[in-house]
Amino acid sequence: MNEDTEAVAERLVAAGRAAGRKLSHSLREATLAGLLADLGGLAGPGGPAADPDEPGDIYGDGVVARLERRVAELLGTEDAAFFPTGTMAQQIALRCWAGRTGNPVVALHPMSHPERWEGGALSTVSGLRVVHTTGEPRQPTASEIAELPEPFGTLMLELPLRDAGFLLPTWEELSAVVATAREREAVVHIDGARLWESTVHFDRTLPEIVELADSVYVSFYKSLGGLSGAALAGSASLVSEARVWRHRYGGQIFRQFPAALSALAGLERELPKLPSYVAHARVVASALSAALGSSPEVPWFRINPEVPHTHQFQVWLPYDADRLTEAGVRLAEETGTLLFRRWSPDGPPGLSVTELEVTEPGLSWTEADVAEAVRGFVARL
């Protein structure tokens, strides 16, 4: 970050902490004091670890093992293993499947996490090779999977596809894609970092969704508010092998109770609320569309997708990203209302994009609140 970027980032964090009205909490707004206080409460009576005198975990026993059992129960799998990062969990899963299928080719979307955010680790670290399922900013279709010109051992599906707007296929589309991969003798792995909130769109339970795949990775901090960490879930055989590779990758950490406790708390506190967040994100998106559409100062906008598939979605506007970010910061600083955080120029030429997330703080927002916030934001452009 350059000096100006750092200054804006600091203002965003300060404004977010002070805002009396916002759609969600940002992970960047948490303080050490707040995190430590919350962690201390988790180990007390009534918390996920009801006995504060329980021995501390060592190399994955105790509270970590309890978390693994809980995840397997929620997802309907035989077993699950805790990992310090989702990147590690997913790389190991794909490496294990390459060994089992005898095919090192992974079919995935070019906008998926391994392609965008892992520094080419699949090839550099694990010697795997990728083919892209589609070049379009959407989920792949069954016909595209059927027409891939070479064999692949694993099909990886990111559900939802974050960088395309947190997009999900329909249940019928997902089922068809999986069936086509099976016809091509491939296994299916789900990048389910945000799978927790996908049940509403699919109108299916977590076990019903996960049953389609051979393995799934889930995150504990992206939607559940945990400190860090992830889990890889699947058959007992696969998870056992993944634990061996976890040690080889340096993921067998001596003590992991802070992450495990916060993950258990997220499963208890946040997971039941996610359907309400998804429902209200649709209210917010509709109100945003109406407010931006009625604003004569805004020549064009896009809500992507128009009806959010999860509690997160994108907003596109035809302005410079820095200008949009500054307007949002000023709105928060001057009125105590935080609507948009950072904007990015990574969209199509001439357009900037931001992501909106609706969680507990956003449930109180009415359509009138959204309209008022939009008017204040536009006035500061």
Side-chain angles (χ1 to χ4, degrees), residues 279-310:
H280 205 64
R282 294 171 178 175
V283 173
V284 170
S286 177
L288 269 172
S289 182
L292 290 169
S294 64
S295 175
E297 296 88 354
V298 178
W300 184 91
F301 72 92
R302 180 177 178 184
I303 308 296
N304 181 43
E306 185 176 351
V307 177
H309 295 177
T310 71

Side-chain angles (χ1 to χ4, degrees), residues 9-320:
E10 290 173 1
R11 288 173 61 203
L12 270 172
V13 170
R17 288 173 179 168
R21 189 167 59 175
K22 53 188 173 183
L23 291 171
S24 66
H25 296 295
S26 168
L27 296 176
R28 297 181 184 275
E29 291 163 13
T31 65
L32 286 175
L35 292 171
L36 289 170
D38 188 53
L39 186 62
L42 298 181
D51 182 5
D53 294 322
E54 175 186 348
D57 63 293
I58 296 177
Y59 290 125
D61 64 3
V63 66
V64 179
R66 191 184 323 149
L67 171 63
E68 292 174 335
R69 291 193 296 271
R70 179 61 176 147
V71 170
E73 176 187 8
L74 285 168
L75 299 180
T77 59
E78 290 181 354
D79 202 356
F82 179 82
F83 281 80
T85 72
T87 296
M88 182 186 292
Q90 194 142 264
Q91 287 181 31
I92 286 175
L94 296 175
R95 181 170 193 148
C96 288
W97 285 125
R100 290 175 174 228
T101 63
N103 188 329
V105 178
V106 180
L108 46 64
H109 199 286
M111 299 178 79
S112 63
H113 197 277
E115 289 291 82
R116 285 281 181 97
W117 303 107
E118 297 179 19
L122 285 183
S123 59
T124 305
V125 178
S126 299
L128 305 182
R129 187 163 60 84
V130 303
V131 295
H132 292 157
T133 53
T134 178
E136 298 296 320
R138 54 164 173 74
Q139 293 285 348
T141 66
S143 61
E144 286 169 333
I145 301 303
E147 293 166 6
L148 287 175
E150 62 179 303
F152 53 94
T154 305
L155 171 66
M156 195 206 87
L157 299 170
E158 184 175 314
L159 303 176
L161 187 58
R162 181 257 180 102
D163 283 353
F166 305 92
L167 298 183
L168 289 163
T170 66
W171 181 254
E172 292 73 22
E173 289 167 343
L174 176 60
S175 299
V177 163
V178 170
T180 303
R182 304 280 189 224
E183 291 170 3
R184 298 202 56 171
E185 300 183 344
V187 298
V188 177
H189 169 76
I190 291 177
D191 176 337
R194 297 172 175 84
L195 190 70
W196 306 112
E197 59 264 37
S198 300
T199 56
V200 176
H201 176 82
F202 288 131
D203 193 25
R204 296 292 191 281
T205 65
L206 285 167
E208 286 176 313
I209 300 169
V210 172
E211 188 179 20
L212 289 178
D214 298 282
S215 59
V216 60
Y217 132 67
V218 290
S219 173
F220 295 128
Y221 77 88
K222 287 185 170 67
S223 298
L224 300 180
L227 290 175
S228 62
L232 176 65
S235 68
S237 171
L238 175 75
V239 173
S240 177
E241 181 183 357
R243 287 190 171 105
V244 174
W245 281 104
R246 180 182 63 187
H247 180 64
R248 290 170 176 160
Y249 272 63
Q252 189 76 355
I253 298 172
F254 180 62
R255 289 204 195 278
Q256 302 167 87
F257 71 90
L261 278 175
S262 66
L264 283 167
L267 292 171
E268 179 181 299
R269 298 172 179 175
E270 287 298 299
L271 184 58
K273 298 178 184 178
L274 289 176
S276 67
Y277 297 168
V278 176
H280 205 64
R282 294 171 178 175
V283 173
V284 170
S286 177
L288 269 172
S289 182
L292 290 169
S294 64
S295 175
E297 296 88 354
V298 178
W300 184 91
F301 72 92
R302 180 177 178 184
I303 308 296
N304 181 43
E306 185 176 351
V307 177
H309 295 177
T310 71
H311 66 302
Q312 298 167 303
F313 59 93
Q314 294 176 338
V315 180
W316 297 10
L317 284 174
Y319 298 92
D320 176 76

